[in-house]
DNA sequence: ATGAAAGCGCTAACAA
DNA sequence: TTGTTAGCGCTTTCAT
């Protein structure tokens, strides 16, 4: 059995409460006893039982993280950084994958609520009502989504699309296709809005294709419609779909970027590894994950801050120009 | 505040222990009171406090999962299936990513031990001594590694290599290069052993190149040595490295599979998405994750089984022949 | 500065 | 079948 606080107390010749204080409020006990306690604790390999502590403090020391689909390369990077930052703060991470199922998302979040101090909901698919329902019970930070004044770390999708269009325009393109993903997704709406605005301003023709599932197969399925539309460039909802596009285009004998320029969103690691490599709107996933945890920890310290404007952070995307975009073929 | 067992007891007009029984040992209470308790619990939205329960039962209802690097596409699939299976068993999953650092792995595993009923260590990099140290405190299942008679779910890497060599030999290849990954890795040793045996039996020339880091860049770095060795085929430690190879080979103007056939291991999703698609030794990651959890749950029920032979399971790999391998060029 | 005592929410003996 | 009691390991009043 693991050593308890009473074992340490006995070994150090003090009371359990003194041990507790020596460990969690070191400046309240005399230096002498503090040292004695620390030594005894170390010798016994004592580590406090978090469950017992949580029972009385109401804090578990755990954070919950909910993601739609770990198989999408966007999410592992987020999870990785959330986990890393949480660990720095001595918090464990409870992970839940919802398989893109909004209902499962709600129930998973609900069940996590009881075991964590706070929740990071990454790209949640649930509707606003459910979102606010979950938010009532425990501090929640949204990642890659906005919902009113709820604490959130998001990306400026509109600006990302602006960058993409500026790039395509500079290459001489006069038309763009949009390959849509899940229409219920917040980021999907933002990206489409951004693309509409940017193309209109730039005087480009926009063709909207989709919705398609946000997977490789979705991109494959969209490719022929894109080709048929006669555009010279295409922006996909995300990189995974863009890779599907690339694949099908190659099968069809459509050269990228000579016949068609392709842009994705996310900057998943893979997008730099394929050939031609994929031009993409890069999102700072790692930074976002860390900031989400930071926000959550701040909220834990000071719950009143929840409505503070500083609890909403928006990260700037950065266009990464790679092989899949090129100047439009003339003649 | 959330409802406690006493609130339910009061509402149902029974004692707290009856509530406890009605909920966790339904057949021990009379149908009438059971219904009354259930209704009261439902009405109050009662959910037991797992920490409090754990304090007395010694069970947390949590599983720990430690992985080396979520950025390697091999692992998200494992994590996903572990999480899914754990949830079916009403267990939450505490996830830790060690960033390929053996020391971090030990300390993360140690710190998780106190908060979980059992641990799944996926592809652990720590040495055997540390492994056994962790194992002492809590049931542990190894995934993608063997260590003596410790409970484990692993892949038959030797047979995987046999399949790969048989395939290459059938295509007319007489020589193979091995692009090595992390030499401390268990699966690396197994694969190399299997490859040596298989090539010797088949009378193929084997050239060993590496060690390289198990990333895309590692494969990129290895490519030129492979070309210089004059082989007609190459097997990489994993798919991510094989993709690096593919990339560099294309840059060099070496045609795959015409000039060189390439085989990877893992069957990461990406390997079917690139062009040419990657022939690979497929590993049933999802099945492995589920089985690891099953094993752990069985161990939790009956700790004595730990030394039982049935606690070691080996899954058969399956070669997936795709575009990156072809008949050897004659002349 | 330290100790004694109470109690967080729950379950498991033991009685009845 | 049900209730009473005790206590899991810890923190936190309240005394001293």
């Amino acid at each position: 059995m693991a050593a308890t606080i009473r074992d340490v107390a006995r070994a150090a010749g003090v009371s359990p409460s003194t041990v507790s204080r020596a460990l969690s409020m070191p400046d309240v006990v005399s230096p002498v006893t503090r040292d004695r306690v620390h030594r005894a604790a170390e010798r016994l390999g004592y580590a406090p039982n978090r469950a017992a502590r949580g029972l009385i403090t109401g804090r578990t020391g755990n954070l919950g993280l909910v993601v739609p689909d770990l198989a999408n390369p966007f999410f592992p990077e987020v999870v990785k950084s959330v986990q890393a930052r949480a660990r720095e703060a001595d918090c464990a991470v409870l992970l839940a994958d919802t398989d893109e199922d909004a209902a499962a998302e709600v129930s998973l979040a609900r069940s996590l609520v009881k075991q964590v101090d706070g929740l990071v909901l990454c790209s949640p698919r649930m509707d606003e009502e459910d979102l606010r329902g979950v938010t009532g019970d425990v501090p929640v930070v949204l990642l890659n989504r906005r919902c009113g004044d709820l604490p959130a770390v998001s990306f400026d999708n509109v600006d990302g699309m602006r960058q993409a269009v500026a790039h395509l325009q500079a290459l001489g393109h006069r038309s763009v296709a949009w390959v849509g993903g899940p229409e219920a997704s917040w980021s999907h709406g933002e990206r489409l809005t951004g693309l509409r605005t940017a193309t209109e301003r730039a005087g480009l023709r926009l063709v909207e294709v989709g919705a398609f599932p946000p997977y490789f197969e979705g991109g494959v399925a969209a490719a022929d419609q894109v080709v048929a539309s006669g555009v010279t460039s295409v922006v996909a909802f995300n990189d995974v779909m863009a890779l599907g596009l690339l694949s099908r285009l190659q099968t069809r004998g459509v050269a990228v970027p000579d016949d068609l320029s392709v842009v994705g969103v996310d900057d998943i690691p893979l997008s730099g590894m394929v050939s031609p490599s994929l031009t993409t709107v890069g999102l700072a996933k790692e930074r976002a994950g860390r900031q989400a945890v930071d926000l959550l920890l701040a909220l834990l310290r000071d719950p009143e801050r929840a409505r503070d404007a500083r609890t909403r952070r928006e990260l700037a995307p950065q266009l990464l120009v790679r092989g899949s975009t090129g100047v439009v073929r003339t003649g």
Side-chain angles (χ1 to χ4, degrees), chain A:
Chain A
M1 244 348 243
T4 80
I5 204 172
R6 310 185 65 145
D7 298 327
V8 178
R10 205 173 311 120
V14 296
S15 78
S17 25
T18 301
V19 175
S20 174
R21 280 189 283 255
L23 264 37
S24 44
M25 327 157 68
D27 36 313
V28 177
V29 300
S30 84
V32 189
T33 46
R34 190 182 54 211
D35 283 6
R36 201 140 43 97
V37 169
H38 278 142
R39 262 196 299 279
E42 181 126 10
R43 186 152 40 83
L44 297 177
Y46 170 77
N49 179 325
R50 299 178 88 123
R53 173 182 290 172
L55 205 50
I56 178 153
T57 61
R59 291 255 172 129
T60 62
N62 296 331
L63 300 185
L65 175 58
V66 183
V67 299
D69 181 17
L70 223 40
N72 181 336
F74 176 81
F75 295 107
E77 295 194 72
V78 175
V79 172
K80 208 174 155 135
S81 68
V82 165
Q83 200 273 329
R85 182 70 192 87
R87 182 136 300 276
E88 288 172 15
D90 201 31
C91 282
V93 173
L94 289 167
L95 178 74
D97 179 303
T98 67
D99 247 330
E100 294 280 359
D101 178 342
E105 196 172 61
V106 175
S107 79
L108 280 166
R110 284 258 164 75
S111 78
L112 278 183
V113 155
K114 297 163 230 152
Q115 319 184 52
V116 301
D117 297 335
L119 222 43
V120 175
L121 300 182
C122 189
S123 313
R125 312 304 199 205
M126 67 181 86
D127 62 33
E128 298 211 356
E129 188 183 334
D130 285 326
L131 216 44
R132 293 189 182 276
V134 172
T135 305
D137 298 326
V138 76
V140 171
V141 170
L142 267 29
L143 180 31
N144 193 28
R145 172 154 177 191
R146 285 286 169 123
C147 180
D149 55 0
L150 294 181
V153 177
S154 59
F155 302 102
D156 187 345
N157 287 286
V158 171
D159 187 67
M161 288 300 108
R162 186 197 56 73
Q163 292 182 42
V165 169
H167 170 62
L168 293 172
Q169 186 182 25
L171 292 172
H173 293 276
R174 305 289 302 154
S175 57
V176 180
W178 163 250
V179 172
E183 296 182 319
S185 146
W186 174 84
S187 56
H188 184 272
E190 294 290 301
R191 286 169 199 176
L192 183 50
T193 302
L195 194 59
R196 282 174 180 159
T197 308
T199 49
E200 188 170 349
R201 285 208 185 134
L204 300 195
R205 179 168 70 96
L206 174 64
V207 178
E208 297 175 19
V209 166
F212 294 93
Y215 311 124
F216 184 81
E217 292 73 22
V220 171
D224 299 304
Q225 293 183 39
V226 172
V227 172
S229 77
V231 297
T232 60
S233 69
V234 52
V235 177
F237 169 66
N238 67 19
D239 280 356
V240 171
M241 295 180 76
L243 293 172
L245 274 176
L246 251 31
S247 170
R248 176 65 186 164
L249 290 174
Q250 168 156 344
T251 306
R252 287 275 314 261
V254 177
V256 173
D258 290 346
D259 299 331
L260 188 61
S261 285
V262 177
V263 178
V265 183
D266 279 353
D267 186 29
I268 62 175
L270 191 53
S271 55
M273 303 180 186
V274 293
S275 175
S277 56
L278 183 64
T279 293
T280 184
V281 177
L283 306 180
K285 298 167 285 292
E286 185 171 327
R287 192 134 43 96
R290 300 188 74 86
Q291 293 207 4
V293 175
D294 285 339
L295 214 49
L296 200 48
L297 295 173
L299 249 32
L300 255 33
R301 267 181 244 109
D302 174 13
E304 300 309 315
R305 262 181 69 174
R307 316 218 156 266
D308 191 320
R310 284 170 303 171
T311 61
R312 267 149 282 140
R313 298 190 193 161
E314 190 164 59
L315 302 179
Q318 181 174 4
L319 184 76
L320 299 164
V321 175
R322 298 207 267 242
S324 68
T325 49
V327 293
V328 68
R329 204 148 75 167
T330 50

